[in-house]
Amino acid sequence: MESQIHKVHQQLVNKEITCTELVQQRLDLLKTNTHNTVNSLLDTLALELAKKVDDKISKGTSIGLLEGIPFGIKDVYMVQGTYTTASSDLLKNYKSAYTATAIQKLLDAGAIPLVKENCDSFGHGSSSENTIFGAVKNAINPELVGGGSSGGSAVNVAKDFTVFSIGGDTGGSVRQPAGYNNVYGLKPTYGRISRYGLMAYASSTDCVGPIAKSIEDIRIVLNIMSGKDVKDQTTYASTEITHDAILCSDTIKTVGYFKNFIESDAIDSQIKSDFLESIEKIKAKGIEVKALDFFESNTLVSTYYTLAMAETASNLSRLDGTNYGNRIESENLKETYAVTRSENFSEETKRRIVGGNQVLSQGFSDEIYLKGLALRDSISENFEKDFNEVDIILSPVTPNTPPKIGDSLKDPLAMYLSDAYTVGFSLGQLPTLTVPQGTATGLQITAAKNNDELVLKFANFLKDIL
């Protein structure tokens, strides 16, 4: 699909539509949508910003490429003065005191925020059902889940309620819902975009990620949000990715895939067949394809959840109703903490906190947590070895198609296993892009650290052959 950002920009410049009309149209769609994608509308702010864009255009002043472009924000990002609920009872009345760096960069570029989007509470889930606002419904089939945890963001893009949306990816939370809803979703190299103002889930793998309908739109938004931030010491200065740079894929000579992902008993037969067919089409274009050895899916999932639960237990320990949140008073301070957390956290969040505290506790941390850290190092070393042999690693996004709404809540283990093909790349902190081609839930393109440009190049190549 062509760039929606360029298309809307041209419509505004040509005065085919006013920015106020554009924003109001999208707000109306969001208000009436039946997919449960909206936690709160930013209508007053959006219309104020739209009027400023219209005033500039009426005066003949040129506008930037992102000025006036409507976008959505997963409800785990701070935007000053707006509700930031994380889809939780604990923060349902919390208003942000500041704005996340990544979002501020988009605002500075003139993009217009329309909505805080529904998601799994605190990012805990793979289906966007663990939310006080009701399960997000898939854009293609509303009986199925929208994917998670950035389900509302992916569905809003797929339904054209927003031009692009900003999700958050810890273990696949941008890539998996993008695959479920047939749109593009990028997890950039860890540290390329500041996490300041993103509610922390697992700090060592949390990434800010754009969701859009075209590779060009992903590129534009990625460039705006990237860069070093003194408020996030994991960030680094990155080179801008140009439009022309991602049009030529001649430098990509070898592609690898993990044979154990494809030979697994857990993979859906149609996804396996479609993936292998995509591999043959790549070979037909003269690219060498190598089958690679990797860790078993169960090892990846258990390593990821061991570390992610430990980090979320630590990160959420600050939420006790004292400084912010829905405090529930009890007979003493200790009981107040306990009741506030017990009543306000979702079952899935409590499951992850309990699991995290368990693996960090005396007698278990050496046996479980430190082993998880060692495995993560081994996974990163394995990736370094692989990228000495291949330029790109290709994989399915998920082993199965989206489940029906309600099924994941009955079987948390199945929900964790749905992340089997995404969490490894998170542990490796690698740039990974979901493209809506190749299988029913898309394909994942991964490159070595800091090679985000190469990922976008190969996405353009696949767009033309699949």
Side-chain angles (χ1 to χ4, degrees):
M1 176 176 281
E2 67 174 320
S3 165
Q4 297 299 292
I5 291 174
H6 283 288
K7 180 181 176 182
V8 172
H9 174 73
Q10 210 54 54
Q11 288 174 335
L12 291 171
V13 170
N14 294 343
K15 299 183 180 179
E16 296 170 29
I17 188 171
T18 68
C19 191
T20 299
E21 289 169 343
L22 170 68
V23 165
Q24 190 62 63
Q25 285 175 6
R26 302 291 175 125
L27 288 170
D28 290 343
L29 290 171
L30 286 162
K31 282 177 187 174
T32 57
N33 101 84
T34 57
H35 290 263
N36 288 343
T37 63
V38 177
N39 286 3
S40 60
L41 285 176
L42 310 180
D43 44 0
T44 302
L45 172 62
L47 289 168
E48 285 175 0
L49 293 173
K51 184 179 183 304
K52 291 179 180 178
V53 174
D54 285 334
D55 288 345
K56 284 184 73 172
I57 293 171
S58 66
K59 292 174 184 174
T61 307
S62 62
I63 61 170
L65 185 57
L66 275 186
E67 278 193 78
I69 304 297
F71 75 105
I73 305 168
K74 182 179 180 179
D75 200 7
V76 291
Y77 287 95
M78 303 297 168
V79 179
Q80 188 173 17
T82 71
Y83 286 106
T84 304
T85 72
S87 295
S88 71
D89 273 318
L90 187 65
L91 297 177
K92 62 186 176 184
N93 295 314
Y94 174 70
K95 284 191 174 182
S96 307
Y98 64 99
T99 299
T101 297
I103 304 303
Q104 188 60 56
K105 287 186 173 186
L106 293 169
L107 297 177
D108 291 345
I112 297 181
L114 299 184
V115 56
K116 287 293 195 73
E117 297 165 322
N118 200 357
C119 57
D120 284 301
S121 183
F122 294 104
H124 299 158
S126 305
S127 63
S128 292
E129 293 174 281
N130 298 301
T131 162
I132 63 171
F133 296 101
V136 175
K137 298 177 182 179
N138 190 283
I140 301 155
N141 180 350
E143 293 184 0
L144 307 180
V145 301
S149 60
S150 308
S153 303
V155 172
N156 279 342
V157 170
K159 299 294 289 183
D160 290 319
F161 301 153
T162 59
V163 173
F164 66 91
S165 285
I166 305 304
D169 193 306
T170 305
S173 295
V174 160
R175 291 163 285 154
Q176 185 247 47
Y180 279 2
N181 294 282
N182 287 343
V183 291
Y184 291 90
L186 175 69
K187 184 199 84 64
T189 300
Y190 180 81
R192 186 183 180 99
I193 302 174
S194 173
R195 293 173 293 115
Y196 179 74
L198 163 63
M199 285 190 197
Y201 164 17
S203 304
S204 66
T205 57
D206 284 346
C207 287
V208 178
I211 299 172
K213 278 194 163 182
S214 74
I215 302 160
E216 172 66 0
D217 289 349
I218 293 286
R219 182 194 69 83
I220 292 167
V221 177
L222 174 65
N223 278 336
I224 292 294
M225 294 193 297
S226 297
K228 191 165 180 60
D229 180 13
V230 295
K231 296 171 183 173
D232 178 358
Q233 294 304 307
T234 65
T235 55
Y236 61 92
S238 55
T239 306
E240 181 177 345
I241 300 171
T242 66
H243 171 74
D244 291 343
I246 65 171
L247 296 180
C248 178
S249 59
D250 292 350
T251 56
I252 299 169
K253 306 294 184 185
T254 54
V255 171
Y257 71 93
F258 297 132
K259 58 187 177 185
N260 59 301
F261 280 12
I262 306 308
E263 293 167 0
S264 168
D265 293 336
I267 192 170
D268 176 87
S269 60
Q270 190 61 53
I271 287 180
K272 176 179 179 177
S273 172
D274 290 345
F275 179 81
L276 291 174
E277 186 178 331
S278 297
I279 289 293
E280 291 305 314
K281 289 178 180 178
I282 291 168
K283 285 181 181 177
K285 291 295 180 179
I287 291 177
E288 183 184 1
V289 176
K290 293 183 179 181
L292 305 170
D293 293 315
F294 198 49
F295 294 80
E296 291 299 322
S297 298
N298 287 349
T299 302
L300 296 172
V301 171
S302 58
T303 301
Y304 168 76
Y305 276 103
T306 294
L307 300 178
M309 287 183 179
E311 291 185 35
T312 203
S314 176
N315 281 325
L316 293 189
S317 63
R318 73 193 76 172
L319 295 181
D320 54 22
T322 301
N323 294 317
Y324 33 71
N326 184 32
R327 183 183 178 95
I328 301 174
E329 297 290 347
S330 191
E331 55 199 59
N332 57 53
L333 187 60
K334 185 176 179 181
E335 282 299 308
T336 295
Y337 288 163
V339 172
T340 295
R341 288 167 66 81
S342 179
E343 294 297 319
N344 284 310
F345 282 137
S346 71
E347 291 303 309
E348 183 57 36
T349 294
K350 286 187 279 190
R351 186 180 294 117
R352 297 187 187 204
I353 291 172
V354 170
N357 284 328
Q358 173 82 354
V359 303
L360 290 172
S361 63
Q362 189 173 3
F364 286 93
S365 60
D366 287 358
E367 185 65 27
I368 303 175
Y369 180 65
L370 294 183
K371 188 178 287 186
L373 290 175
L375 271 167
R376 180 168 67 183
D377 289 343
S378 297
I379 289 165
S380 293
E381 289 167 8
N382 199 103
F383 279 128
E384 286 182 20
K385 175 178 66 70
D386 288 339
F387 284 117
N388 285 328
E389 295 185 37
V390 301
D391 301 312
I392 289 289
I393 292 174
L394 197 66
S395 66
V397 180
T398 61
N400 293 285
T401 52
K404 286 188 175 180
I405 290 173
D407 288 356
S408 294
L409 297 179
K410 299 172 193 171
D411 190 353
L413 179 59
M415 180 184 68
Y416 299 157
L417 291 174
S418 73
D419 297 334
Y421 297 165
T422 56
V423 293
F425 304 118
S426 294
L427 292 168
Q429 301 184 334
L430 305 175
T432 308
L433 174 72
T434 288
V435 298
Q437 298 153 295
T439 79
T441 57
L443 295 171
Q444 270 184 124
I445 303 169
T446 305
K449 280 185 181 179
N450 306 326
N451 274 346
D452 304 60
E453 182 180 293
L454 199 63
V455 167
L456 299 182
K457 279 186 179 185
F458 196 67
N460 266 322
F461 169 76
L462 288 185
K463 179 169 63 71
D464 296 330
I465 70 163
L466 295 184

